[in-house]
């Protein structure tokens, strides 16, 4: 198994992104190819989970589009991700906040993590 991990680390190019976790509100900028054109699209939402490690790590983001919840899973090593920006640090007690899917209105708010500067 170590041989596979070594090969993955050599072959897959990992970018440096800011530290984020479950409960954080982030904006992911990723490039989309449409025919011969290429554009950058932003997806802003709350991180539900991070799973995996190394080149196979993924994270799930949920946002509300109108009245419909939209979730998207991004591989952290994707070459299409150009930037990840952390908008808010959320204060949650779990690593995976799937209970957030059933929440609406005021109960769907996540407290912001207090910074001690």
């Amino acid at each position: 198994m170590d041989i596979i991990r070594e090969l993955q680390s050599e072959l897959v190019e990992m970018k440096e992104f800011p530290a984020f976790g479950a409960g954080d509100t982030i904006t992911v900028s990723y490039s989309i190819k449409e025919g011969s054109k290429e554009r950058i699209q932003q997806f802003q939402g709350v991180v539900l989970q991070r799973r995996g490690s190394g080149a196979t790590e993924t994270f799930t983001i949920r946002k509300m589009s109108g009245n419909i919840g939209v979730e998207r899973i991004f591989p952290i090593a994707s070459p299409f991700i150009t930037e990840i920006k952390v908008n808010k640090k959320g204060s949650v007690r779990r690593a995976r906040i799937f209970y957030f899917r059933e929440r609406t209105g005021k109960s769907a708010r996540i407290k912001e993590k207090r910074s001690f500067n």
Side-chain angles (χ1 to χ4, degrees), residues 36-51:
S36 60
K37 297 179 186 173
E38 190 172 320
R39 64 185 176 89
I40 293 179
Q41 182 172 335
Q42 267 93 20
F43 192 91
Q44 180 177 353
V46 177
V47 178
L48 293 185
Q49 70 170 345
R50 282 183 78 155
R51 73 181 322 175

Side-chain angles (χ1 to χ4, degrees), residues 64-112:
M64 294 302 289
S65 182
N67 266 350
I68 300 168
V70 179
E71 288 185 18
R72 180 140 187 205
I73 301 171
F74 291 98
I76 201 100
S78 173
F80 300 112
I81 295 178
T82 56
E83 178 187 20
I84 296 177
K85 182 180 167 192
V86 179
N87 301 4
K88 278 197 268 183
K89 284 285 206 183
S91 175
V92 293
R93 294 183 177 187
R94 299 183 185 194
R96 297 185 175 164
I97 56 171
F98 297 136
Y99 64 86
F100 193 66
R101 292 172 175 156
E102 283 80 41
R103 302 287 171 105
T104 57
K106 282 189 174 182
S107 67
R109 290 185 296 187
I110 294 177
K111 289 182 184 174
E112 200 164 346

